[in-house]
Amino acid sequence: MSTTAEAAGTQPVPALFFSKVERRYPQGSGALEILRGAELAIWPGELVALVAPSGAGKSTLLHLAGLLERPDGGEVYIGGTPTATMADSERTRLRREEMGFVYQFHHLLPEFSALENVVMPQLIRGLGAKEAKSRATELLSFLGLKDRLIHRPAELSGGEQQRVAIARAVANGPRLLLADEPTGNLDPHTAGHVFGILLSLVRASGLAALVATHNMELAGRMDRRVTIRDGLIEQLA
């Protein structure tokens, strides 16, 4: 989905933009303030690390970015489109067409092969089976899994499973990738390898990615690092 600005050839818009976002949850007789006017822009081709201690609001931020929650104030823009008051059906469409999600555990369908796991979201979107299979094969090959296409998740290593999960997340050509500890279940060597592949994918596709991680070594390899402090999103050195 292109925006008016992009169609007109003017300055690009952020893939994700938080404008004065507020989020709070009821707590006793008051409210727990998580975000208090938070601002964040992530641009196409940019890989941003979200680094913050437990309880600071990382999950809340990711849920808001993924349109799984609505802000209590401010606005969340996806590719220049405001979403805070958007109908649930349209938010679901945006999640399906404009976003990809990668979690700490791969969540692959165990009864399907690696290829079938990547074909599935494309079929759900309405792509023909032949084209979906071709795109899935190309994507898995790019991620180094050309010889593992017909293997089921139980026959793959942890790193291979997570690479399939990444392929599935980007199969529909999303604008934005949201990842929550995508290498958290992997040993350091495998985590570094999987992250390197993710970085190559972002660079090759122009995808924007927000990655929540506790791994400071991997965070240091990203374009920027941000944290949540006192309800605001701050840049880290």
Side-chain angles (χ1 to χ4, degrees):
M1 181 182 67
S2 63
T3 65
T4 302
E6 289 171 317
T10 56
Q11 297 240 346
V13 297
L16 172 68
F17 180 48
F18 277 31
S19 176
K20 297 180 172 56
V21 170
E22 300 175 6
R23 189 68 174 113
R24 64 188 69 89
Y25 300 100
Q27 187 180 59
S29 59
L32 177 63
E33 297 275 356
I34 302 297
L35 296 178
R36 315 179 190 198
E39 301 266 346
L40 174 68
I42 300 180
W43 300 87
E46 188 177 38
L47 190 64
V48 177
L50 173 59
V51 182
S54 297
K58 292 196 304 297
S59 294
T60 295
L61 194 153
L62 288 173
H63 288 170
L64 289 166
L67 308 186
L68 299 170
E69 296 184 23
R70 294 181 188 267
D72 295 301
E75 185 59 86
V76 176
Y77 295 88
I78 302 296
T81 301
T83 64
T85 60
M86 186 178 281
D88 287 341
S89 59
E90 186 65 7
R91 288 164 66 87
T92 297
R93 185 195 65 77
L94 271 182
R95 276 197 301 273
R96 183 175 63 244
E97 297 182 3
E98 300 286 339
M99 302 180 192
F101 299 86
V102 181
Y103 303 99
Q104 185 170 348
F105 186 70
H106 56 76
H107 296 297
L108 299 174
L109 298 172
E111 65 272 27
F112 293 109
S113 68
L115 183 65
E116 290 166 337
N117 267 280
V118 181
V119 164
M120 193 71 66
Q122 299 178 72
L123 297 180
I124 292 172
R125 186 173 178 181
L127 202 65
K130 183 177 180 180
E131 185 177 355
K133 184 176 180 180
S134 175
R135 287 178 58 174
T137 300
E138 181 180 3
L139 188 52
L140 287 167
S141 297
F142 177 83
L143 296 179
L145 295 169
K146 183 178 181 180
D147 297 326
R148 311 292 278 170
L149 299 180
I150 63 173
H151 290 71
R152 294 183 180 182
E155 301 171 308
L156 302 173
S157 69
E160 289 170 338
Q161 291 170 346
Q162 201 64 330
R163 279 183 275 164
V164 175
I166 291 170
R168 179 184 58 187
V170 302
N172 282 329
R175 181 189 300 270
L176 175 67
L177 179 69
L178 300 171
D180 190 2
E181 297 287 351
T183 61
N185 279 335
L186 305 176
D187 65 81
H189 174 76
T190 304
H193 180 61
V194 169
F195 176 79
I197 288 173
L198 176 60
L199 180 60
S200 297
L201 184 62
V202 169
R203 296 289 183 258
S205 66
L207 179 70
L210 176 62
V211 180
T213 182
H214 285 101
N215 188 322
M216 295 306 295
E217 180 182 352
L218 296 185
R221 295 169 61 184
M222 300 191 209
D223 298 310
R224 283 190 290 133
R225 287 146 297 284
V226 299
T227 191
I228 303 170
R229 186 174 291 121
D230 296 328
L232 300 176
I233 299 172
E234 297 183 358
Q235 305 289 326
L236 293 174

